[in-house]
Amino acid sequence: MMNERLILTEEWDKTFPKSDKINHRKITFHNRYGITLAADLYEPKNADGKLPAIAVCGPFGAVKEQCSGLYAQTLAERGFLTIAFDPSFTGESGGMPRYMASPDINTEDFQAAVDFLSLQENVDADKIGILGICGWGGLAINAAALDTRIKATVVSTMYDMARVNANGYFDSDDSEEKRYAMKQNLNAQRIKDYQSGEYTLGGGVVDPLPEDAPFFVKDYHDYYKTERGYHPRSLNSNGGWNVIGCMSFINQPINTYSNEIRSAVLIMHGEKAHSCYFGKDAYTAMTTDSKYTDNKELLIIPDAVHTDLYDGGGKDAIPFDKIEAFYHEYLK
């Protein structure tokens, strides 16, 4: 089995302060495609025995030094062993070419994290959960529908990456004609990239911010382009994904069998988030014609916008007490 040799930053370079209640170290694990993934492992100090464990990833285009690490560290303070990982092709993780995405490989990244956690001496392999933020929320649901080892899933401020790539924001481009035009442009870009031998980046969050930018663009700028959340390895903070990086999401829908998930799922979304429709519709799809609704929950957080669930938005918007209680209930 081929594993890549990664260069991992050892100093603390997160967008949040280090807690004195946890032990932290860098780890690596591999997925079934031979890609080596980099992660931060957080565990409560003076922990004894086998712990419940949680793998955290997201947002889509972020790195583990941003909000996935904040979630992981906070949950470790509350008694869980956690890892926050960079997906394939991004951050400190391996995979070439860089800045590509795949509904299959990125779902596999979550499953590979479960593989790793299941074999740790201080982890109870029957008590493993996952947590996905933004685009990784939709992928977390996809993983939960596929992986019976996952006992509890939390989805925060989610995107359905297949839906947004195929239909545009708010389904405004949901027509055969608009999809065809988009695919024409993407396939023309493939020729350009093949000729040049390089993949053209699509650009991260726009900067400087235009005065007439939509609110959700301003929301992203406030996180990714300021001291609040900027990180030099973050795609959204810098050059973005390859133009063709997310192309396969267009006709490979995820979450097809979400209403067959038997394990517990908590979907939480900000009331004022531009993306709230993704969470509401995912919950409806997951519970419609399902025999397994008793352990499914939709939590709408009053007044919260999309990035408030990245880092609290300065108003403690992330309901960590609720998340902790959910995991304790279903990872018992």
Side-chain angles (χ1 to χ4, degrees):
M1 188 175 294
M2 182 183 70
N3 287 318
E4 300 153 292
R5 185 175 182 85
L6 306 182
I7 299 175
L8 304 180
T9 303
E10 292 303 327
E11 67 267 17
W12 187 267
D13 62 345
K14 322 300 183 198
T15 59
F16 52 91
K18 185 176 182 180
S19 169
D20 60 5
K21 299 177 182 178
I22 57 98
N23 294 319
H24 162 265
R25 58 189 168 94
K26 288 287 185 75
I27 59 98
T28 61
F29 58 97
H30 63 270
N31 67 21
R32 67 188 169 103
Y33 294 104
I35 298 170
T36 302
L37 303 177
D40 288 292
L41 185 148
Y42 302 88
E43 57 189 344
K45 284 186 175 178
N46 305 315
D48 189 30
K50 291 183 177 291
L51 301 174
I54 302 164
V56 187
C57 194
F60 201 80
V63 287
K64 63 188 181 304
E65 290 76 20
Q66 295 170 304
C67 52
S68 61
L70 173 64
Y71 273 78
Q73 177 174 263
T74 305
L75 289 169
E77 290 178 323
R78 293 165 180 251
F80 302 91
L81 184 144
T82 64
I83 60 171
F85 66 90
D86 284 330
S88 295
F89 313 114
T90 65
E92 292 184 316
S93 287
M96 292 294 290
R98 304 304 290 168
Y99 313 141
M100 286 293 182
S102 161
D104 181 22
I105 295 174
N106 293 146
T107 300
E108 163 65 17
D109 289 343
F110 262 130
Q111 293 193 269
V114 176
D115 294 340
F116 170 81
L117 290 172
S118 297
L119 296 179
Q120 301 312 298
E121 291 184 356
N122 57 343
V123 167
D124 186 333
D126 291 323
K127 299 179 179 179
I128 294 177
I130 61 174
L131 193 155
I133 308 161
C134 186
W136 280 84
L139 289 161
I141 293 175
N142 206 45
L146 187 60
D147 197 324
T148 57
R149 301 168 300 171
I150 296 169
K151 299 303 190 295
T153 300
V154 172
V155 173
S156 180
T157 196
M158 73 163 277
Y159 266 47
D160 179 333
M161 293 306 300
R163 180 177 176 181
V164 76
N165 274 282
N167 299 347
Y169 280 102
F170 316 113
D171 299 325
S172 59
D173 296 328
D174 185 13
S175 72
E176 185 274 338
E177 291 81 6
K178 289 185 177 180
R179 268 188 291 278
Y180 187 80
M182 174 174 57
K183 288 183 281 189
Q184 280 186 309
N185 291 334
L186 289 170
N187 286 299
Q189 184 66 49
R190 291 179 69 106
I191 297 297
K192 293 178 183 177
D193 291 347
Y194 199 90
Q195 285 179 321
S196 70
E198 297 180 352
Y199 289 98
T200 303
L201 295 180
V205 174
V206 62
D207 188 50
L209 188 68
E211 288 187 12
D212 61 348
F215 171 75
F216 73 93
V217 175
K218 294 178 180 178
D219 189 26
Y220 282 135
H221 186 278
D222 188 51
Y223 181 79
Y224 285 110
K225 290 294 190 177
T226 70
E227 290 185 6
R228 175 183 168 195
Y230 177 83
H231 196 277
R233 286 192 295 275
S234 167
L235 282 70
N236 294 341
S237 289
N238 297 283
W241 296 93
N242 294 334
V243 172
I244 65 168
C246 298
M247 185 176 181
S248 62
F249 278 99
I250 294 170
N251 67 336
Q252 295 186 36
I254 58 177
N255 303 331
T256 303
Y257 299 108
S258 66
N259 67 342
E260 297 182 5
I261 299 173
R262 298 189 183 189
S263 59
V265 181
L266 167 64
I267 296 176
M268 53 189 208
H269 228 116
E271 175 190 26
K272 295 183 178 178
H274 71 277
S275 53
C276 193
Y277 70 103
F278 288 126
K280 290 178 177 177
D281 289 356
Y283 177 77
T284 297
M286 189 169 54
T287 54
T288 298
D289 298 325
S290 172
K291 297 183 288 185
Y292 312 104
T293 58
D294 289 348
N295 56 1
K296 307 299 188 292
E297 186 174 351
L298 174 65
L299 176 65
I300 302 298
I301 299 163
D303 298 320
V305 299
H306 185 83
T307 66
D308 284 343
L309 296 190
Y310 283 9
D311 61 353
K315 50 191 175 186
D316 296 323
I318 303 172
F320 279 115
D321 288 345
K322 170 65 179 179
I323 299 171
E324 177 187 0
F326 174 82
Y327 279 128
H328 275 312
E329 179 175 1
Y330 293 107
L331 297 181
K332 60 190 175 186

